[in-house]
C-alpha cells in the first residue's frame, strides 16, 4: 500500500520525482526496516512489523499519517521518531536512488580495505552519519544520514542537523578523497487530529567531487562496503563466524595474511547451513535465518510445521537470506564477478522479495516454507 509525503529536494533540479509529493510503499518501508534492525546493533526487533497498524486507515495513495503521536514521553518520541526515520529514509534511498548495499558507521572509523588504504576518515567531532552505501553495480558511493522529527515548523532544522552529520566523514583511498554523494534525509511526521498534521520528507543531495583515484584501486571501497553489508546482515541470523571472517578481510595489510583470511572465510562459508525455498527454483542457496516480531530464531531449528505455527500466531515469520555465490564472490574480491552476480535477473515471485544486493526477504507460512539452514 503506497502512502505519500510532501516532498522537498535541494537542489530542486536533481529531484528524482516531479511534483510536490513523493510516494513510498509501506511494505517497502517495512522491508527496509527489517534490514535496518538486523544490521544495526541494539535496534528494536519487531518495530518493522507494526508500522502499517500505526497509520490512519485511509487507503492507497493517501498521506503517511500516524493515528496517534509516537508516545507521550519525549524520550519515547525521540527514539521511535529516529528509528522510523531511518526506515523511511532507507526505503527512499533504495527506491529513488537505487542504493542497495549499506554499511553502518556508528562512531568508529572503518577500514574498507586496509591493504589498498581505503578507509573512512573522520573530519569532525560528533556522531557519524548513519550509512555509507552504493548501488549494486558498485557505483554511486553515498554518505547518508537520516533524521525523524515532530517539529511543528517543519523538517528544516532536522535536515540541517542531518546535513552537518553527513559532512563529518570522507572516504579516502591512499590518502586521496573519493567522489561521494552526500545525502541528508529528514522526515517530519504527521498525526491525525493533532499538530503537526502533514508528513514531510525533505532531502539535500549535492555531489562532493573527490580526487583522481588509480583505476586499480577504484573498486576497493565498494568491495569492502559489500563485505561489511553482508557481515552485518548475517551475523544476527546465527552466522557470527562467517560475519567475522568477512570483516577480517577488510583489515588485512599484506598479501599472505589476506590469502589466509580468504581461505578461512571460504571454509566457513562451505560449512554454513544453507536455506532452500520450498517450491521455488529461482531462489537457491541462501545463507540466513528466520526472523519474527520477537527477533531472529538462532537457538533452535524451525521445522516447516513450526513456520506455519508462527504465521498462524501472527508473529510475521520471514526468512532473510543472502545468496551464497555472492558471498563467495565478496570473499574473492573480484569486482567483475560481483557485478555479474548482482546483475543477474530473477523471475518475478509472488512471495519472495529481492533487495538487489543478493538478499531476499521471504514471508513464511502455508504458502512458502524454508527447508534446511534454519
Amino acid at each position: 500500500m503506497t502512502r505519500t509525503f510532501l516532498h522537498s529536494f535541494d537542489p530542486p533540479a536533481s529531484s528524482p520525482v516531479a511534483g510536490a509529493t513523493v510516494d513510498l510503499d509501506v511494505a517497502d518501508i517495512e522491508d527496509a526496516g527489517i534490514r535496518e534492525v538486523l544490521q544495526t546493533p541494539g535496534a528494536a526487533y519487531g518495530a518493522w512489523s507494526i508500522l502499517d497498524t500505526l497509520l490512519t486507515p485511509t487507503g492507497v495513495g493517501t498521506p503517511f499519517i500516524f493515528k496517534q503521536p509516537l508516545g507521550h514521553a519525549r524520550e519515547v518520541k525521540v527514539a521511535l521518531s529516529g528509528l522510523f526515520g531511518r526506515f523511511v529514509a532507507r526505503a527512499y534511498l533504495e527506491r529513488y536512488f537505487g542504493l542497495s548495499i549499506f554499511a553502518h558507521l556508528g562512531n568508529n572509523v572503518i577500514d574498507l580495505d586496509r591493504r589498498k588504504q581505503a578507509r573512512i576518515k573522520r573530519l569532525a567531532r560528533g556522531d557519524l552519519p548513519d550509512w555509507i552505501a552504493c548501488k549494486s553495480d558498485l557505483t554511486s558511493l553515498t554518505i547518508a544520514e537520516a533524521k525523524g522529527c515532530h517539529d511543528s515548523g517543519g523538517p528544516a532544522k532536522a535536515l540541517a542537523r542531518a546535513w552537518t552529520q553527513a559532512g563529518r566523514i570522507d572516504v579516502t583511498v591512499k590518502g586521496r578523497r573519493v567522489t561521494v554523494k552526500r545525502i541528508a534525509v529528514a522526515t517530519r511526521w504527521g498525526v491525525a487530529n493533532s499538530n503537526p498534521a502533514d508528513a514531510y520528507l525533505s532531502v539535500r543531495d549535492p555531489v562532493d567531487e573527490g580526487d583522481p583515484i588509480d583505476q586499480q584501486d577504484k573498486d576497493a571501497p565498494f568491495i569492502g562496503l559489500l563485505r561489511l553489508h553482508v557481515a552485518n546482515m548475517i551475523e544476527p541470523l546465527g552466522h557470527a563466524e562467517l560475519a567475522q571472517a568477512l570483516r577480517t578481510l577488510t583489515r588485512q595489510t599484506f598479501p599472505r595474511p589476506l590469502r589466509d583470511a580468504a581461505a578461512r572465510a571460504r571454509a566457513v562459508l562451505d560449512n554454513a547451513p544453507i536455506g532452500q525455498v520450498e517450491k521455488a527454483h529461482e531462489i537457491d542457496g541462501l545463507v540466513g535465518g528466520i526472523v519474527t516480531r520477537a527477533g531472529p530464531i538462532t537457538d533452535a531449528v524451525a521445522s516447516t510445521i513450526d513456520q506455519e505455527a508462527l504465521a498462524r500466531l501472527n508473529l510475521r515469520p520471514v526468512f532473510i537470506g543472502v545468496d551464497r555465490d555472492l558471498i563467495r564472490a565478496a570473499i574473492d574480491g573480484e569486482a567483475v564477478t560481483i557485478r555479474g552476480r548482482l546483475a543477474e535477473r530473477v523471475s518475478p515471485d509472488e512471495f519472495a522479495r529481492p533487495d538487489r544486493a543478493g538478499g531476499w526477504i521471504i514471508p513464511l507460512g502455508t504458502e512458502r516454507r524454508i527447508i534446511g539452514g534454519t
Side-chain angles (χ1 to χ4, degrees):
M1 179 182 293
T2 59
R3 294 299 185 105
T4 63
F5 297 81
L6 296 174
H7 184 246
S8 64
F9 198 95
D10 180 19
S14 298
S15 177
V17 298
T21 63
V22 64
D23 65 86
L24 289 171
D25 194 300
V26 175
D28 290 341
I29 297 173
E30 290 190 341
D31 282 356
I34 191 169
R35 288 190 283 270
E36 188 64 15
V37 297
L38 283 174
Q39 292 182 307
T40 306
Y45 286 120
W48 58 273
S49 65
I50 63 171
L51 191 56
D52 190 40
T53 62
L54 298 178
L55 299 176
T56 54
T58 48
V60 175
T62 58
F64 190 99
I65 303 295
F66 286 113
K67 297 175 185 175
Q68 297 178 343
L70 295 175
H72 297 288
R74 182 180 181 278
E75 294 82 359
V76 175
K77 280 188 174 182
V78 169
L80 289 178
S81 180
L83 185 65
F84 289 149
R86 294 210 308 274
F87 294 178
V88 168
R90 183 159 176 168
Y92 176 86
L93 294 172
E94 289 174 349
R95 176 173 175 180
Y96 291 102
F97 286 84
L99 301 179
S100 58
I101 299 169
F102 289 75
H104 293 73
L105 297 178
N107 282 313
N108 298 316
V109 177
I110 294 175
D111 282 307
L112 297 173
D113 187 327
R114 190 172 293 177
R115 181 166 177 253
K116 294 193 174 181
Q117 300 176 46
R119 59 174 56 96
I120 307 299
K121 179 182 178 182
R122 178 187 281 275
L123 302 176
R125 294 181 179 179
D127 290 339
L128 298 185
D130 287 320
W131 306 291
I132 176 171
C134 70
K135 294 183 177 180
S136 60
D137 61 358
L138 306 187
T139 63
S140 300
L141 199 63
T142 302
I143 296 169
E145 168 63 20
K147 297 289 185 188
C149 73
H150 294 84
D151 298 346
S152 59
K157 291 182 179 179
L159 186 65
R161 293 194 301 272
W163 180 247
T164 297
Q165 210 158 323
R168 286 182 180 151
I169 63 168
D170 273 337
V171 180
T172 64
V173 175
K174 295 180 178 176
R176 293 183 173 185
R177 294 172 60 248
V178 176
T179 296
V180 297
K181 182 186 288 289
R182 298 184 193 272
I183 299 181
V185 183
T187 308
R188 202 285 301 274
W189 309 114
V191 181
N193 302 317
S194 183
N195 186 44
D198 297 317
Y200 282 85
L201 199 155
S202 294
V203 185
R204 187 173 177 183
D205 162 47
V207 172
D208 188 356
E209 294 290 345
D211 304 319
I213 305 297
D214 290 342
Q215 188 65 38
Q216 63 193 29
D217 297 326
K218 282 188 174 181
D219 289 327
F222 297 98
I223 294 172
L225 175 57
L226 176 62
R227 287 167 172 167
L228 295 175
H229 169 89
V230 173
N232 293 340
M233 185 73 73
I234 65 175
E235 183 172 36
L237 298 173
H239 301 278
E241 187 179 8
L242 181 55
Q244 186 57 41
L246 287 165
R247 294 191 188 101
T248 299
L249 291 171
T250 69
R251 301 169 185 157
Q252 302 305 314
T253 305
F254 301 106
R256 183 170 179 178
L258 178 61
R259 289 195 298 270
D260 293 343
R264 171 166 174 72
R266 292 186 199 100
V268 176
L269 177 62
D270 289 341
N271 289 323
I274 300 301
Q276 303 286 348
V277 184
E278 195 174 60
K279 300 179 183 178
H281 302 294
E282 296 292 333
I283 309 169
D284 185 36
L286 300 179
V287 176
I290 293 175
V291 180
T292 72
R293 289 181 188 268
I297 299 175
T298 59
D299 56 355
V301 175
S303 67
T304 55
I305 295 175
D306 295 331
Q307 294 169 39
E308 293 177 10
L310 290 169
R312 284 198 305 273
L313 293 171
N314 198 28
L315 289 173
R316 299 279 300 273
V318 292
F319 184 85
I320 313 295
V322 180
D323 177 59
R324 174 176 54 183
D325 291 337
L326 174 67
I327 299 176
R328 192 177 303 280
I331 292 170
D332 294 341
E334 294 292 338
V336 173
T337 304
I338 292 170
R339 288 190 177 98
R341 190 68 189 173
L342 290 174
E344 290 182 2
R345 294 187 177 273
V346 294
S347 300
D349 186 279
E350 184 181 356
F351 300 98
R353 304 188 293 270
D355 66 2
R356 302 193 311 276
W360 292 83
I361 295 179
I362 305 165
L364 302 177
T366 55
E367 300 293 335
R368 184 57 54 86
R369 295 171 296 193
I370 291 291
I371 51 177
T374 59

